[in-house]
C-alpha cells in the first residue's frame, strides 16, 4: 500500500488519500470488498458512499462500488480535503511521562491510544497530545512530530520522543544501527518447545490482506524487509506461554507476525487470529475460562516493557523499565490459577 501523498492533484483539485495496484493474480472482486481489506477502519457503507460521490478511481476513471477489480488495476481514492493526518490538532490529553529533559522524553503509552493519526483515528492520538504539551517538536521522515519509533494502538508501553532535530537524528540512528534496546513481554498461544531462540524472517505486507504483515521466504524473500526477534520463555502457563521478546529490528507488527509464523500467535490478537481458542481442550468450562480472559484483556497481549538508548547529549546509556499493565497482569494470574488447579 502506498500511503497518502500530501500534494494536491493539479488536474481536478482533489487530494489523493490512498493508491493501490492490484496483484497479477487478483481474482475479480467488487471494489468495495477489495478496499475493505486494504483500508484500516473502513466500512463498506463508507466505501460505497465514496464511490457514489465519485471519489474512487480505477485507471484514472471514476467507478461505482460494484466495479470488479482486475489484475494490475491502479486504484486511487481521492477527496476534496487533504488527508486528516496532515491536519494535526493539539489536544489536551494527559500523558504518563516517566522521564523528561531538554532533549527528549519517555512516555508510557496506555493500550488503546493510537500513536499517530491515520484513517479513522484523527484525534486522541499520542501526537495530538504531544503537540499540545510541547512546542516545535522536530518532524521525522514521515512528517510526524517527535516520533522516533512507534508501537501499535493496542500495545502498551514505552516510547522515546525527540524534542529537537539533533536528538531525533541521533536516536533514529541508534534504532537503525540496532544499538537501542527494546524488550517486550507477550502472552502467546501454545507451550513453546524451546526455552529461548531467535526468529529470522523478512516481513512485508500480506498480499491478500494489506492490514496484516507476513513472513516472506524462499523466492519471495525480497518482498519483505529483514527482521530478527530474540525470545525467551518467562513462564509456562499450560496452553499459553509468557515470553520476553527483544527486537533487533523494528518492522511493523514484528513480534505479532514472527510469533504467528512459528505457530505461537499472540493471545487475543484479533488481526492475526489470536482471538480464537488456538490451544486447549474442547470442554465448555475451558472455553468459558478463555472467553473470560479475553474480557479481562480485550487486546493483543503485548507490552513494550523495557527501553534503552544512549542519551544524545550526555553519551550516557539510559534504560527504562515499566510494569506490566493491570489487564495483562490479571490475565496472567488467571492462567496461573488455571494451571495450578489442573495440577491438583
Amino acid at each position: 500500500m502506498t500511503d497518502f501523498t500530501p500534494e494536491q492533484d493539479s488536474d481536478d483539485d482533489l487530494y489523493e488519500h490512498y493508491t493501490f495496484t492490484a496483484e497479477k493474480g487478483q481474482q475479480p472482486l467488487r471494489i468495495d470488498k477489495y478496499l475493505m481489506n486494504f483500508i484500516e477502519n473502513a466500512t463498506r457503507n463508507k466505501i460505497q458512499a465514496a464511490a457514489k460521490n465519485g471519489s474512487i478511481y480505477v485507471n484514472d476513471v471514476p467507478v461505482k462500488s460494484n466495479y470488479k477489480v482486475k489484475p494490475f488495476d491502479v486504484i486511487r481514492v481521492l477527496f476534496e480535503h487533504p488527508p486528516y493526518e496532515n491536519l494535526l490538532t493539539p489536544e489536551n490529553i494527559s500523558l504518563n511521562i516517566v522521564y523528561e529533559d531538554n532533549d527528549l522524553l519517555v512516555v508510557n503509552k496506555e493500550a488503546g491510544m493510537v500513536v499517530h493519526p491515520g484513517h479513522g483515528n484523527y484525534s486522541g492520538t499520542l501526537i495530538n497530545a504531544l503537540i499540545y504539551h510541547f512546542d516545535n517538536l522536530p518532524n521525522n521522515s514521515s512528517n510526524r512530530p517527535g516520533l522516533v519509533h512507534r508501537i501499535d494502538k493496542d500495545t502498551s508501553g514505552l516510547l522515546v520522543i525527540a524534542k529537537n532535530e539533533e536528538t531525533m537524528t541521533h536516536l533514529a540512528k541508534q534504532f537503525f544501527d540496532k544499538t537501542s534496546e527494546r524488550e517486550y513481554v507477550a502472552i502467546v498461544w501454545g507451550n513453546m518447545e524451546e526455552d529461548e531462540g531467535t526468529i529470522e524472517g523478512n516481513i512485508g505486507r500480506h498480499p491478500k490482506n494489506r492490514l496484516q504483515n507476513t513472513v516472506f521466504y524462499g523466492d519471495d524473500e525480497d518482498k519483505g524487509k529483514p527482521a530478527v526477534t530474540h525470545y525467551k520463555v518467562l513462564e509456562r502457563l499450560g496452553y499459553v506461554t509468557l515470553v520476553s521478546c527483544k527486537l533487533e529490528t523494528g518492522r511493523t507488527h514484528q513480534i505479532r507476525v514472527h510469533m504467528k509464523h512459528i505457530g505461537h500467535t499472540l493471545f487475543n490478537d484479533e488481526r492475526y487470529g489470536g482471538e480464537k481458542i488456538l490451544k486447549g481442550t474442547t470442554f465448555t468450562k475451558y472455553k468459558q475460562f478463555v472467553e473470560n480472559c479475553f474480557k479481562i484483556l480485550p487486546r493483543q497481549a503485548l507490552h513494550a516493557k523495557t527501553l534503552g538508548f544512549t542519551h544524545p547529549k550526555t553519551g550516557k546509556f539510559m534504560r527504562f523499565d515499566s510494569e506490566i499493565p493491570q489487564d495483562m497482569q490479571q490475565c496472567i494470574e488467571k492462567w496461573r490459577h488455571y494451571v495450578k488447579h489442573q495440577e491438583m
Side-chain angles (χ1 to χ4, degrees):
M1 177 178 121
T2 305
D3 290 331
F4 64 83
T5 51
E7 297 82 10
Q8 199 165 351
D9 191 306
S10 57
D11 295 335
D12 48 14
D13 289 321
L14 293 175
Y15 292 85
E16 181 176 285
H17 283 232
Y18 299 95
T19 175
F20 310 99
T21 302
E23 301 273 335
K24 66 178 180 181
Q26 177 64 48
Q27 297 295 313
L29 181 67
R30 281 178 59 115
I31 197 160
D32 52 359
K33 287 186 176 179
Y34 177 89
L35 287 174
M36 279 182 70
N37 290 330
F38 285 73
I39 302 177
E40 194 165 3
N41 298 321
T43 65
R44 201 161 171 189
N45 284 345
K46 283 182 185 175
I47 293 167
Q48 287 172 345
K52 195 174 180 182
N53 293 334
S55 295
I56 299 176
Y57 287 67
V58 176
N59 306 325
D60 294 326
V61 177
V63 297
K64 299 300 180 190
S65 55
N66 63 354
Y67 174 84
K68 297 282 181 69
V69 177
K70 300 186 294 294
F72 305 113
D73 275 351
V74 177
I75 301 151
R76 299 167 73 210
V77 182
L78 308 172
F79 291 111
E80 290 178 357
H81 59 83
Y84 289 117
E85 47 263 67
N86 288 3
L87 307 172
L88 295 173
T89 307
E91 293 178 45
N92 187 6
I93 302 165
S94 63
L95 293 171
N96 181 1
I97 298 171
V98 298
Y99 174 84
E100 183 183 359
D101 61 26
N102 291 332
D103 300 294
L104 56 86
L105 62 143
V106 176
V107 175
N108 190 5
K109 185 188 84 68
E110 290 182 2
M113 178 184 254
V114 176
V115 171
H116 56 75
H119 186 84
N121 296 296
Y122 302 120
S123 64
T125 75
L126 178 64
I127 282 188
N128 294 110
L130 288 171
I131 61 174
Y132 177 89
H133 294 289
F134 303 98
D135 295 325
N136 305 316
L137 289 174
N139 280 342
N140 66 12
S141 58
S142 301
N143 291 320
R144 287 165 178 158
L147 280 197
V148 179
H149 61 128
R150 59 180 289 275
I151 56 179
D152 298 327
K153 172 189 173 185
D154 289 326
T155 299
S156 53
L158 298 173
L159 286 159
V160 61
I161 309 297
K163 284 188 173 182
N164 52 58
E165 294 282 355
E166 187 184 346
T167 301
M168 172 72 78
T169 303
H170 197 291
L171 288 172
K173 189 172 188 308
Q174 290 185 53
F175 278 77
F176 181 79
D177 291 341
K178 305 171 187 174
T179 57
S180 60
E181 184 183 306
R182 283 169 292 168
E183 182 198 7
Y184 291 69
V185 173
I187 306 170
V188 301
W189 277 109
N191 186 10
M192 301 189 80
E193 284 184 26
E194 305 294 331
D195 285 337
E196 55 187 275
T198 297
I199 310 163
E200 295 185 61
N202 288 16
I203 289 176
R205 293 267 185 196
H206 196 292
K208 290 195 168 62
N209 184 348
R210 304 288 282 194
L211 300 182
Q212 288 187 7
N213 281 353
T214 190
V215 172
F216 290 97
Y217 44 90
D219 293 341
D220 291 332
E221 198 173 68
D222 59 353
K223 291 182 180 176
K225 292 181 179 177
V228 181
T229 305
H230 305 285
Y231 69 85
K232 187 175 184 179
V233 170
L234 298 176
E235 193 172 352
R236 298 181 184 277
L237 297 165
Y239 299 121
V240 299
T241 306
L242 184 66
V243 293
S244 157
C245 295
K246 289 191 175 179
L247 295 185
E248 203 172 294
T249 51
R251 307 300 173 208
T252 301
H253 299 173
Q254 179 170 320
I255 293 170
R256 300 164 71 183
V257 172
H258 268 172
M259 283 297 165
K260 179 172 183 173
H261 180 64
I262 64 166
H264 293 284
T265 304
L266 261 64
F267 187 77
N268 210 10
D269 187 351
E270 188 176 354
R271 182 164 295 183
Y272 290 94
E275 85 288 9
K276 299 180 180 71
I277 297 175
L278 299 180
K279 299 288 178 183
T281 73
T282 56
F283 297 133
T284 308
K285 246 181 148 177
Y286 172 74
K287 185 183 174 190
Q288 189 60 58
F289 162 77
V290 174
E291 285 172 356
N292 287 340
C293 288
F294 288 160
K295 282 176 189 170
I296 289 169
L297 183 67
R299 63 180 180 101
Q300 70 258 13
L302 187 61
H303 174 66
K305 189 175 189 301
T306 306
L307 178 64
F309 52 84
T310 301
H311 194 286
K313 286 281 171 68
T314 66
K316 178 185 170 188
F317 191 83
M318 307 180 79
R319 183 181 285 107
F320 300 91
D321 193 65
S322 59
E323 287 186 9
I324 295 172
Q326 194 174 10
D327 59 354
M328 203 164 153
Q329 193 62 53
Q330 283 182 320
C331 186
I332 293 166
E333 289 298 336
K334 273 189 83 70
W335 277 102
R336 281 178 183 149
H337 182 76
Y338 177 83
V339 171
K340 195 174 177 183
H341 183 72
Q342 294 302 106
E343 288 172 352
M344 287 172 68

